[in-house]
Amino acid sequence: GQQVMQIPQYQHVQEGEDFTTYCNSSTTLSNIQWYKQRPGGHPVFLIQLVKSGEVKKQKRLTFQFGEAKKNSSLHITATQTTDVGTYFCAGPVVNRDDKIIFGKGTRLHILP
Amino acid sequence: KAGVTQTPRYLIKTRGQQVTLSCSPISGHRSVSWYQQTPGQGLQFLFEYFSETQRNKGNFPGRFSGRQFSNSRSEMNVSTLELGDSALYLCASSLALAGGFSYNEQFFGPGTRLTVL
C-alpha cells in the first residue's frame, strides 16, 4: 500500500546546528503538510506545499516539495531549544477516498 | 477563538469494556477527524465526519465507530477494548474548504490518553 516514510527517526543536534528531516512517498502526492508536536503536546500545523518544486520559508524553517511531488524536506537553520519536538509530514492517499497518511515523524533533540 | 477540546483527557479501562470519547471542534469548523497515536505505529487516521456523515474511513476494525452531531461535535466509540487499543486518541477539526479533507489544515485537540488494562 501507499507509504509515507520519514528519515531520520531521531536526530540529536547541538544548539545552533542545522537540522533536516526528509519525507518520501511511494506515490505522487497532490500536496504535503508538515506538523510539529512538542513533547506531551499535540500536532500543530506548520505549512502546506502544493506545487511541484515549491519552496516556502518561515523564519529559520525552509520547506521544499520535490519536482516529482514524491518527496519533501524540512530544514531548520541554527536550531534553538524551542525547536525540540517531533516533526511529521502528511499526505493524501491516492485513491477515490480522501484520507491522510502521516509519516512516523522525526524526533529532534537539542543538546545545550 | 477557542481551540479543539477533547474529553476526557485521561481514561483507564479494562479489556472487554467500551469507551466513548468526545470532541468539540473550533467554532465554524464542520469537518472532524479522529486519529490514533501510538509509539509503534505513529499517527493513524481513523475516520472523518462532515455534516453528520462519515465521509472517510481508515483501516481500523468495526469496533471503532463514531458520529457527529448537528453542532459539529463528534464522539468516537471503541467497543470490546483490547490491550492494543491503548493510545493517545486525537481529534482534529478543519474548515473543509474546496479541495477535500486532505487539502485542509488540521487543528488538533490535546487528545485523550486511553489505557487498557
Side-chain angles (χ1 to χ4, degrees):
Chain A
Q2 180 178 349
Q3 290 186 322
V4 173
M5 309 295 292
Q6 263 188 272
I7 54 171
Q9 190 175 358
Y10 301 96
Q11 184 81 59
H12 293 78
V13 299
Q14 289 286 145
E15 187 175 7
E17 290 184 337
D18 292 356
F19 159 78
T20 304
T21 173
Y22 300 91
C23 182
N24 298 295
S25 170
S26 56
T27 59
T28 302
L29 299 170
S30 55
N31 73 87
I32 194 157
Q33 299 177 1
W34 284 91
Y35 291 81
K36 175 184 177 182
Q37 185 173 20
R38 292 180 185 273
H42 55 274
V44 175
F45 176 83
L46 292 176
I47 209 158
Q48 181 183 75
L49 304 171
V50 179
K51 299 177 184 176
S52 170
E54 189 170 13
V55 178
K56 287 188 176 180
K57 292 190 176 185
Q58 290 179 350
K59 297 183 180 178
R60 295 179 294 104
L61 277 61
T62 302
F63 302 84
Q64 291 189 331
F65 201 9
E67 293 290 340
K69 300 182 76 172
K70 284 188 173 184
N71 54 69
S72 180
S73 65
L74 158 59
H75 180 81
I76 302 178
T77 304
T79 54
Q80 300 175 358
T81 55
T82 53
D83 296 325
V84 165
T86 301
Y87 294 85
F88 296 95
C89 62
V93 174
V94 182
N95 58 27
R96 286 182 294 174
D97 298 329
D98 194 16
K99 302 175 189 177
I100 288 180
I101 290 183
F102 279 79
K104 290 196 174 181
T106 296
R107 185 176 297 180
L108 174 63
H109 295 268
I110 307 290
L111 304 170
Chain B
K1 190 184 263 189
V4 177
T5 57
Q6 291 187 247
T7 57
R9 293 292 309 278
Y10 302 91
L11 208 48
I12 300 175
K13 292 285 187 179
T14 55
R15 279 182 300 174
Q17 287 187 309
Q18 75 165 23
V19 66
T20 299
L21 312 181
S22 181
C23 171
S24 292
I26 291 173
S27 178
H29 286 194
R30 297 167 64 190
S31 169
V32 175
S33 53
W34 289 88
Y35 301 83
Q36 181 194 66
Q37 186 173 34
T38 59
Q41 297 300 317
L43 262 168
Q44 293 187 284
F45 171 73
L46 281 156
F47 28 66
E48 184 239 356
Y49 285 86
F50 180 83
S51 291
E52 302 177 65
T53 301
Q54 186 183 89
R55 288 200 300 189
N56 300 289
K57 190 176 188 302
N59 300 321
F60 278 79
R63 300 185 297 106
F64 292 82
S65 63
R67 59 177 176 168
Q68 187 181 33
F69 302 94
S70 58
N71 61 358
S72 293
R73 190 178 70 85
S74 178
E75 287 182 348
M76 190 192 93
N77 185 75
V78 187
S79 62
T80 320
L81 284 166
E82 301 176 359
L83 294 179
D85 297 333
S86 295
L88 179 66
Y89 289 88
L90 292 159
C91 159
S93 73
S94 68
L95 280 169
L97 300 171
F101 158 65
S102 64
Y103 272 87
N104 289 268
E105 172 184 352
Q106 306 292 310
F107 292 83
F108 284 85
T112 295
R113 173 77 60 186
L114 172 64
T115 302
V116 182
L117 302 175

